[in-house]
Short mmCIF file of all heavy atoms in Angstrom, two decimals:
data_model
loop_
_atom_site.label_atom_id
_atom_site.label_comp_id
_atom_site.label_asym_id
_atom_site.label_seq_id
_atom_site.Cartn_x
_atom_site.Cartn_y
_atom_site.Cartn_z
N ALA T 81 89.46 105.45 104.38
CA ALA T 81 89.29 105.13 102.96
C ALA T 81 89.58 103.64 102.74
O ALA T 81 88.90 102.98 101.95
CB ALA T 81 90.22 106.00 102.12
N GLY T 82 90.54 103.12 103.48
CA GLY T 82 90.87 101.69 103.38
C GLY T 82 89.75 100.81 103.91
O GLY T 82 89.40 99.80 103.31
N ILE T 83 89.16 101.21 105.03
CA ILE T 83 88.05 100.42 105.60
C ILE T 83 86.88 100.40 104.62
O ILE T 83 86.24 99.38 104.41
CB ILE T 83 87.61 100.98 106.98
CG1 ILE T 83 88.75 100.85 107.99
CG2 ILE T 83 86.37 100.26 107.50
CD1 ILE T 83 88.46 101.47 109.37
N GLU T 84 86.63 101.54 103.98
CA GLU T 84 85.53 101.61 103.01
C GLU T 84 85.73 100.56 101.91
O GLU T 84 84.79 99.87 101.52
CB GLU T 84 85.46 103.01 102.38
CG GLU T 84 84.39 103.13 101.29
CD GLU T 84 84.19 104.57 100.81
OE1 GLU T 84 85.09 105.42 100.98
OE2 GLU T 84 83.11 104.83 100.25
N GLN T 85 86.98 100.44 101.44
CA GLN T 85 87.26 99.52 100.33
C GLN T 85 86.97 98.08 100.68
O GLN T 85 86.59 97.30 99.83
CB GLN T 85 88.72 99.65 99.90
CG GLN T 85 88.88 100.80 98.92
CD GLN T 85 90.32 100.92 98.45
OE1 GLN T 85 91.21 100.21 98.93
NE2 GLN T 85 90.54 101.83 97.53
N ARG T 86 87.18 97.72 101.96
CA ARG T 86 86.99 96.31 102.30
C ARG T 86 85.66 96.04 103.01
O ARG T 86 85.43 94.95 103.50
CB ARG T 86 88.17 95.79 103.11
CG ARG T 86 88.26 96.35 104.48
CD ARG T 86 89.55 95.97 105.12
NE ARG T 86 90.63 96.81 104.60
CZ ARG T 86 91.86 96.83 105.09
NH1 ARG T 86 92.19 96.05 106.06
NH2 ARG T 86 92.77 97.64 104.60
N SER T 87 84.77 97.05 103.05
CA SER T 87 83.48 96.84 103.73
C SER T 87 82.35 96.68 102.71
O SER T 87 82.32 97.37 101.70
CB SER T 87 83.13 98.04 104.61
OG SER T 87 84.13 98.23 105.57
N ALA T 88 81.45 95.77 103.02
CA ALA T 88 80.30 95.56 102.14
C ALA T 88 79.42 96.81 102.13
O ALA T 88 78.98 97.28 101.08
CB ALA T 88 79.50 94.36 102.62
N GLN T 89 79.18 97.33 103.29
CA GLN T 89 78.35 98.54 103.42
C GLN T 89 79.08 99.52 104.32
O GLN T 89 79.39 99.18 105.48
CB GLN T 89 77.02 98.19 104.06
CG GLN T 89 75.84 98.25 103.09
CD GLN T 89 74.56 98.10 103.87
OE1 GLN T 89 74.34 97.06 104.48
NE2 GLN T 89 73.73 99.11 103.87
N PHE T 90 79.37 100.69 103.80
CA PHE T 90 80.16 101.65 104.57
C PHE T 90 79.68 103.06 104.27
O PHE T 90 79.54 103.45 103.11
CB PHE T 90 81.65 101.53 104.19
CG PHE T 90 82.54 102.47 104.94
CD1 PHE T 90 83.12 102.08 106.13
CD2 PHE T 90 82.77 103.76 104.48
CE1 PHE T 90 83.96 102.96 106.84
CE2 PHE T 90 83.60 104.64 105.18
CZ PHE T 90 84.18 104.22 106.36
N THR T 91 79.43 103.84 105.31
CA THR T 91 79.02 105.23 105.10
C THR T 91 79.87 106.13 105.99
O THR T 91 79.98 105.90 107.20
CB THR T 91 77.53 105.44 105.46
OG1 THR T 91 76.77 104.46 104.75
CG2 THR T 91 77.06 106.83 105.05
N LEU T 92 80.44 107.12 105.37
CA LEU T 92 81.25 108.10 106.12
C LEU T 92 80.47 109.41 106.21
O LEU T 92 80.18 110.05 105.20
CB LEU T 92 82.59 108.30 105.40
CG LEU T 92 83.55 109.31 106.00
CD1 LEU T 92 83.73 109.12 107.50
CD2 LEU T 92 84.90 109.22 105.32
N ILE T 93 80.11 109.74 107.44
CA ILE T 93 79.37 110.99 107.69
C ILE T 93 80.37 111.95 108.32
O ILE T 93 80.99 111.62 109.34
CB ILE T 93 78.21 110.72 108.67
CG1 ILE T 93 77.31 109.59 108.17
CG2 ILE T 93 77.40 112.01 108.92
CD1 ILE T 93 76.49 108.91 109.26
N THR T 94 80.55 113.11 107.73
CA THR T 94 81.50 114.04 108.34
C THR T 94 80.86 115.39 108.61
O THR T 94 80.02 115.86 107.83
CB THR T 94 82.78 114.23 107.49
OG1 THR T 94 83.73 114.99 108.26
CG2 THR T 94 82.51 114.94 106.17
N GLN T 95 81.27 115.98 109.74
CA GLN T 95 80.86 117.36 110.04
C GLN T 95 81.87 118.33 109.43
O GLN T 95 81.67 119.53 109.47
CB GLN T 95 80.80 117.56 111.56
CG GLN T 95 79.81 116.64 112.26
CD GLN T 95 80.00 116.70 113.77
OE1 GLN T 95 79.48 117.57 114.46
NE2 GLN T 95 80.75 115.76 114.32
N ASN T 96 82.97 117.79 108.93
CA ASN T 96 84.05 118.66 108.44
C ASN T 96 83.74 119.18 107.03
O ASN T 96 83.15 118.48 106.22
CB ASN T 96 85.37 117.90 108.43
CG ASN T 96 85.75 117.42 109.81
OD1 ASN T 96 85.19 117.89 110.79
ND2 ASN T 96 86.67 116.48 109.90
N VAL T 97 84.22 120.38 106.79
CA VAL T 97 83.98 121.02 105.49
C VAL T 97 85.26 121.07 104.66
O VAL T 97 85.30 121.66 103.59
CB VAL T 97 83.41 122.45 105.68
CG1 VAL T 97 82.10 122.42 106.43
CG2 VAL T 97 84.41 123.37 106.42
N ASP T 98 86.35 120.44 105.19
CA ASP T 98 87.68 120.64 104.59
C ASP T 98 87.97 119.81 103.35
O ASP T 98 88.93 120.09 102.63
CB ASP T 98 88.76 120.39 105.66
CG ASP T 98 88.63 119.03 106.36
OD1 ASP T 98 88.23 118.05 105.71
OD2 ASP T 98 88.93 118.95 107.57
N GLY T 99 87.19 118.78 103.09
CA GLY T 99 87.41 117.96 101.89
C GLY T 99 88.54 116.95 102.03
O GLY T 99 88.91 116.30 101.06
N LEU T 100 89.09 116.77 103.25
CA LEU T 100 90.24 115.87 103.39
C LEU T 100 89.87 114.39 103.26
O LEU T 100 90.70 113.58 102.88
CB LEU T 100 90.99 116.14 104.70
CG LEU T 100 91.76 117.46 104.75
CD1 LEU T 100 92.50 117.62 106.07
CD2 LEU T 100 92.76 117.56 103.59
N HIS T 101 88.61 114.04 103.57
CA HIS T 101 88.20 112.65 103.34
C HIS T 101 88.19 112.34 101.83
O HIS T 101 88.63 111.27 101.42
CB HIS T 101 86.80 112.40 103.92
CG HIS T 101 86.77 112.29 105.42
ND1 HIS T 101 87.52 111.37 106.12
CD2 HIS T 101 86.07 112.98 106.36
CE1 HIS T 101 87.28 111.50 107.42
NE2 HIS T 101 86.41 112.47 107.59
N ASP T 102 87.71 113.28 101.03
CA ASP T 102 87.72 113.08 99.58
C ASP T 102 89.16 112.93 99.10
O ASP T 102 89.49 112.06 98.31
CB ASP T 102 87.08 114.26 98.83
CG ASP T 102 85.69 114.58 99.34
OD1 ASP T 102 84.77 113.80 99.08
OD2 ASP T 102 85.54 115.62 100.02
N ALA T 103 90.02 113.82 99.62
CA ALA T 103 91.42 113.82 99.18
C ALA T 103 92.11 112.51 99.55
O ALA T 103 93.04 112.08 98.87
CB ALA T 103 92.16 115.00 99.81
N ALA T 104 91.64 111.85 100.63
CA ALA T 104 92.25 110.59 101.05
C ALA T 104 91.72 109.40 100.25
O ALA T 104 92.20 108.28 100.41
CB ALA T 104 91.98 110.36 102.54
N GLY T 105 90.70 109.63 99.43
CA GLY T 105 90.18 108.56 98.58
C GLY T 105 88.86 107.97 99.04
O GLY T 105 88.38 107.00 98.47
N SER T 106 88.24 108.57 100.07
CA SER T 106 86.90 108.09 100.45
C SER T 106 85.92 108.42 99.33
O SER T 106 85.99 109.49 98.73
CB SER T 106 86.45 108.76 101.76
OG SER T 106 87.15 108.21 102.84
N ARG T 107 85.02 107.47 99.06
CA ARG T 107 84.15 107.62 97.90
C ARG T 107 82.83 108.32 98.24
O ARG T 107 82.38 109.21 97.55
CB ARG T 107 83.81 106.23 97.33
CG ARG T 107 85.00 105.55 96.73
CD ARG T 107 85.31 106.20 95.37
NE ARG T 107 86.59 105.72 94.85
CZ ARG T 107 86.74 104.57 94.21
NH1 ARG T 107 85.70 103.78 94.02
NH2 ARG T 107 87.92 104.18 93.79
N ASN T 108 82.25 107.80 99.32
CA ASN T 108 80.88 108.19 99.59
C ASN T 108 80.85 108.99 100.88
O ASN T 108 80.66 108.45 101.95
CB ASN T 108 80.04 106.89 99.70
CG ASN T 108 78.59 107.19 99.92
OD1 ASN T 108 78.12 108.29 99.65
ND2 ASN T 108 77.86 106.21 100.42
#
Side-chain angles (χ1 to χ4, degrees):
I83 296 176
E84 177 172 21
Q85 276 181 355
R86 69 189 78 171
S87 301
Q89 251 189 298
F90 180 91
T91 307
L92 178 48
I93 306 158
T94 189
Q95 299 169 84
N96 300 344
V97 299
D98 53 35
L100 289 182
H101 285 302
D102 306 289
S106 286
R107 293 284 171 82
N108 183 19

